[in-house]
Amino acid sequence: MTYDVLTMGRISVDIYPNDIGVGLADVTSFGKYLGGSPSNVAVAASQHGRRTAVVTRTGDDPFGVYLHRELVKFGVDDRFVTPVAGLQTPATFCAILPETHEFPLYFYGRFPTAPDLQIRAEELDVEAIRAARIFWSTVTGLCQEPSRGAHIAAHEARPRASLGQGQFTVLDLDYRPMFWDSEDAAREQVAKVLPHVTVAIGNEEECAVAVGHGTPDEQADRLLAAGVEIAVVKLGPEGVMAKTRDERVVSAPVPVQTLNGLGAGDSFGGAFCHGLLAGWPLAQVLDYANAAGAIVASRLSCADAMPTPAEVTSLLAERGRLVPEAVAK
């Protein structure tokens, strides 16, 4: 089986409050959802009709059972998801404070390690990784061994020169300082996989960790100089920019009433993968991904909130944006 999108890395149970606008100390009830950025991206791409799978690990516990069930529910192949004895499935709590655009995260069960940081290189299905149309990983997976070695091995299985037409290797520059000793330590590990990456995605702060501080254009140019084919720099309220050696495009934000901003980036990622695989012009890929991210920002959860293509195209049409299917190659 060849996957359209194969992701690797973090998974957790997201514990989100049902009480909006108050701190965790005052929350009285919660809901639980599948979480973890690479897992969310696999769910998001599946919602766009793509064949997806995730390589990750859970605890051997009821929360691990729950995550398997959720992945299957969302159409994500869970065959590469296995338990790690002696470790608990992590849980991530957040407060939802939309009026101040604050969504603080609290990680439990990830220190000193977590099951998804125990992925080992010898356990990988290298053929599935090599054959995937898109392989997606994040910088967080490089933060400690044995996950670091497994991620490096996965990237080494997909050297740029061996990729076929329509194949991409994506690195989400997702940098979470609590998992690292320093930005320099993260930059050192990013440098080990960047030579295999064809698409890099991050905000300005994450790009700074990867390739140094500078303007978004300078950061994109450094990523391109490192061999990346598409550099995507998120510009916050200014939208998102994508740059190749031949073009530079910017997609303006798609305004919505934000409820929870945490899953927007993962929704963006899954939709971006869909647009890449569809062969749309880069500007249309960005607009589509932007709209998909905006929809999730307007909803409470992450995985459960991932939009369908119809929802994304409807929002684009409402905002007067060109619907990508009309210009698909």
Side-chain angles (χ1 to χ4, degrees):
M1 178 184 295
T2 299
Y3 296 101
D4 292 321
V5 181
L6 178 59
T7 71
M8 180 173 173
R10 195 163 61 87
I11 195 169
S12 65
V13 177
D14 282 351
I15 310 293
Y16 284 1
N18 295 321
D19 303 320
I20 307 303
V22 299
L24 281 181
D26 299 312
V27 174
T28 58
S29 68
F30 297 85
K32 75 178 191 297
Y33 309 92
L34 181 149
S37 183
S39 303
N40 285 337
V41 169
V43 169
S46 179
Q47 287 292 92
H48 295 287
R50 297 299 174 177
R51 179 177 292 172
T52 70
V54 59
V55 181
T56 190
R57 303 287 179 265
T58 69
D60 190 6
D61 55 25
F63 273 164
V65 173
Y66 165 75
L67 291 175
H68 274 277
R69 191 170 66 217
E70 291 297 284
L71 287 170
V72 172
K73 180 182 83 175
F74 291 123
V76 178
D77 194 330
D78 67 342
R79 72 181 63 193
F80 307 125
V81 184
T82 56
V84 178
L87 292 178
Q88 295 177 324
T89 302
T92 303
F93 286 78
C94 82
I96 298 178
L97 307 169
E99 288 190 4
T100 56
H101 293 276
E102 293 178 283
F103 313 99
L105 287 170
Y106 301 85
F107 295 97
Y108 292 83
R110 301 202 67 85
F111 305 100
T113 192
D116 53 57
L117 292 173
Q118 295 302 309
I119 304 170
R120 298 180 180 276
E122 61 269 21
E123 299 169 343
L124 298 177
D125 185 331
V126 175
E127 290 306 315
I129 292 170
R130 184 177 294 122
R133 297 180 69 191
I134 291 179
F135 175 68
W136 176 294
S137 69
T138 78
V139 167
T140 297
L142 299 168
C143 72
Q144 68 172 243
E145 296 288 2
S147 173
R148 177 184 302 149
H151 278 71
I152 291 172
H155 281 276
E156 288 177 343
R158 294 172 61 91
R160 284 195 195 120
S162 74
L163 295 180
Q165 186 175 4
Q167 275 192 303
F168 306 89
T169 299
V170 183
L171 180 63
D172 181 350
L173 299 176
D174 169 53
Y175 173 72
R176 298 177 185 268
M178 70 284 294
F179 300 144
W180 293 90
D181 292 333
S182 66
E183 290 187 8
D184 288 341
R187 187 175 297 115
E188 179 182 354
Q189 299 307 322
V190 171
K192 295 178 181 179
V193 300
L194 207 53
H196 305 294
V197 172
T198 60
V199 182
I201 301 176
N203 60 34
E204 293 179 62
E205 293 77 15
E206 291 165 340
C207 289
V209 172
V211 292
H213 292 276
T215 67
D217 277 282
E218 289 170 340
Q219 292 173 330
D221 288 342
R222 289 175 198 153
L223 289 166
L224 295 173
V228 169
E229 296 171 5
I230 305 174
V232 180
V233 184
K234 297 175 182 178
L235 308 175
E238 303 301 316
V240 59
M241 174 185 71
K243 203 168 187 180
T244 71
R245 285 163 186 77
D246 302 316
E247 65 177 328
R248 176 188 187 274
V249 296
V250 175
S251 175
V254 179
V256 294
Q257 184 68 41
T258 298
L259 177 60
N260 180 3
L262 292 176
D266 300 334
S267 181
F268 177 98
F272 188 89
C273 288
H274 176 58
L276 275 184
L277 295 176
W280 297 338
L282 188 55
Q284 301 308 317
V285 175
L286 279 195
D287 267 359
Y288 187 88
N290 238 352
I295 288 171
V296 172
S298 71
R299 297 173 175 176
L300 173 63
S301 61
C302 294
D304 291 69
M306 296 303 175
T308 63
E311 290 174 313
V312 179
T313 54
S314 176
L315 180 60
L316 285 171
E318 287 175 11
R319 298 294 191 270
R321 304 279 187 99
L322 189 62
V323 174
E325 283 81 355
V327 294
K329 294 180 180 177

